């Protein structure tokens, strides 16, 4: 089926639906079902004003060191196993002790069931084994490629469309900012913050968003050993340089000059 028809079947934002379709192609749909259903509801984690420290300590159990998206999977697995093992009363107590909203967790589980049902109707393959970090985040990139950013200075990042930002202090990556990130959202409050972020590699971006990338070429030169003209290719995504100094065969780009 054309991808547009598949996107229309999902009861979520088209960007999220795009992630699910990409995930089915990358053998990580089980993980993306958890992530997409999580970001489609209000964050189930609670941080009461008078118990901030206690909430942060409780939430550390669920944190993934390089991806806020994978923290959702840790929380989901933890909540599901406790739901199965405990009585409803004790499970509600577990939610309260861990500063997790019982109601929002249930909403999350409901959306997850709906999305899984839609995937089964569309005959999308759901992996049974755990997927790899790279596959999961490439699927995420397929929906929010414009939300990548590269470290500019110590804590500052340069994103697409020349946006400058910092990682939100609530992120697990705040104290150890990686070179390149993807963010679920870029929000402007007291400053411009990248929220719900993950460490990625720039090389993961281009294969999923070829239609959004503009390429330029320079320094064509004759290479005697392979017997061809090569040039330096630069790839830009909404003005952000994501690949520079890549040597390519120039003969297919400008055969007359070559």
């Amino acid at each position: 089926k054309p991808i547009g028809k598949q996107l229309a079947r999902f009861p979520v934002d088209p960007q999220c639906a795009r992630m699910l379709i990409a995930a089915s192609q990358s053998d990580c749909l089980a993980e993306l079902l958890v992530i997409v259903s999580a970001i489609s509801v209000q964050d189930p984690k609670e941080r009461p004003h008078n118990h901030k420290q206690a909430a942060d300590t409780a939430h550390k159990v669920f944190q993934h060191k390089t991806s806020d998206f994978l923290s959702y999977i840790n929380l989901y697995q933890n909540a599901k196993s406790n739901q199965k093992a405990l009585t409803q009363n004790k499970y509600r107590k577990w939610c309260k002790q861990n500063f997790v909203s019982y109601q929002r967790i249930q909403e999350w589980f409901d959306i997850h069931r709906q999305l899984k049902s839609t995937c089964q109707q569309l005959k999308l393959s759901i992996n049974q084994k755990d997927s790899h970090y790279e596959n999961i985040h490439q699927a995420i990139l397929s929906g929010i490629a414009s939300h990548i950013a590269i470290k500019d200075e110590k804590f500052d990042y340069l994103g697409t469309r020349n946006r400058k930002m910092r990682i939100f202090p609530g992120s697990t990556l705040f104290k150890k900012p990686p070179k390149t990130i993807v963010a679920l959202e870029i929000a402007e409050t007291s400053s411009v913050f990248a929220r719900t972020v993950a460490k990625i590699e720039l090389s993961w971006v281009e294969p999923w968003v070829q239609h959004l990338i503009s390429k330029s070429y320079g320094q064509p030169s004759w290479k005697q050993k392979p017997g061809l003209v090569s040039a330096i290719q630069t790839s830009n995504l909404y003005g952000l340089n994501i690949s520079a100094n890549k040597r390519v065969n120039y003969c297919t780009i400008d055969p007359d000059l070559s």
Side-chain angles (χ1 to χ4, degrees):
K1 287 182 181 181
I3 197 165
K5 286 187 177 180
Q6 288 185 318
L7 292 174
R9 294 281 298 276
F10 286 98
V12 289
D13 183 280
Q15 289 176 308
C16 291
R18 181 68 188 91
M19 293 180 200
L20 293 173
I21 293 168
S24 71
Q25 298 163 349
S26 301
D27 206 28
C28 59
L29 185 52
E31 287 82 3
L32 262 292
L33 279 167
V34 172
I35 292 167
V36 166
S37 54
I39 63 181
S40 300
V41 298
Q42 195 176 345
D43 192 342
K45 297 190 298 296
E46 294 180 321
R47 197 169 181 258
H49 188 70
N50 53 339
H51 292 103
K52 285 182 180 178
Q53 192 62 51
D56 289 347
T57 303
H59 295 158
K60 268 187 182 175
V61 176
F62 313 123
Q63 285 182 348
H64 187 280
K65 62 181 180 180
T66 58
S67 173
D68 293 334
F69 295 98
L70 295 186
S71 296
Y72 283 125
I73 291 178
N74 293 342
L75 174 55
Y76 180 88
Q77 291 172 341
N78 224 303
K80 270 288 181 188
S81 62
N82 276 286
Q83 187 187 44
K84 286 177 184 175
L86 303 173
T87 63
Q88 191 172 18
N89 206 26
K90 285 184 177 176
Y91 176 59
R92 281 178 181 269
K93 281 182 181 174
W94 177 86
C95 288
K96 195 173 182 180
Q97 286 166 357
N98 287 276
F99 295 91
V100 173
S101 166
Y102 172 81
Q103 191 176 348
R104 285 186 227 144
I105 283 273
Q106 296 312 111
E107 286 173 19
W108 181 6
F109 291 170
D110 287 343
I111 293 284
H112 182 272
R113 275 192 293 272
Q114 288 176 41
L115 291 175
K116 188 174 181 180
S117 173
T118 304
C119 288
Q120 288 165 340
Q121 288 165 26
L122 291 169
K123 295 183 168 52
L124 299 180
S125 176
I126 302 175
N127 53 301
Q128 300 301 313
K129 293 181 180 177
D130 290 348
S131 191
H132 300 293
Y133 185 99
E134 181 177 340
N135 292 17
I136 293 165
H137 291 83
Q138 280 184 326
I140 290 168
L141 278 165
S142 71
I144 50 172
S146 62
H147 290 188
I148 65 167
I150 301 167
K151 197 193 276 188
D152 199 24
E153 293 172 31
K154 192 175 181 182
F155 290 104
D156 293 325
Y157 283 83
L158 180 64
T160 57
R161 302 185 177 96
N162 209 30
R163 289 180 293 191
K164 291 205 169 184
M165 67 193 79
R166 287 189 165 199
I167 294 175
F168 185 66
S171 170
T172 185
L173 285 80
F174 177 68
K175 289 182 180 175
K176 286 188 177 179
K179 185 182 177 185
T180 314
I181 58 168
V182 62
L184 176 65
E185 62 174 330
I186 296 162
E188 191 166 348
T189 51
S190 56
S191 183
V192 181
F193 288 114
R195 299 175 69 115
T196 311
V197 300
K199 176 185 177 183
I200 60 159
E201 298 295 331
L202 270 182
S203 59
W204 300 351
V205 180
E206 202 166 333
W208 288 100
V209 289
Q210 286 286 350
H211 59 296
L212 300 175
I213 288 172
S214 60
K215 296 175 181 177
S216 57
Y217 304 90
Q219 302 173 38
S221 59
W222 170 253
K223 296 295 171 188
Q224 193 164 348
K225 199 170 183 182
L228 54 81
V229 176
S230 72
I232 299 296
Q233 175 185 288
T234 301
S235 300
N236 286 290
L237 176 65
Y238 297 122
L240 182 68
N241 188 339
I242 61 166
S243 172
N245 302 325
K246 183 180 178 183
R247 193 160 284 280
V248 295
N249 184 347
Y250 200 57
C251 305
T252 56
I253 298 149
D254 191 340
D256 291 343
L257 178 63
S258 297

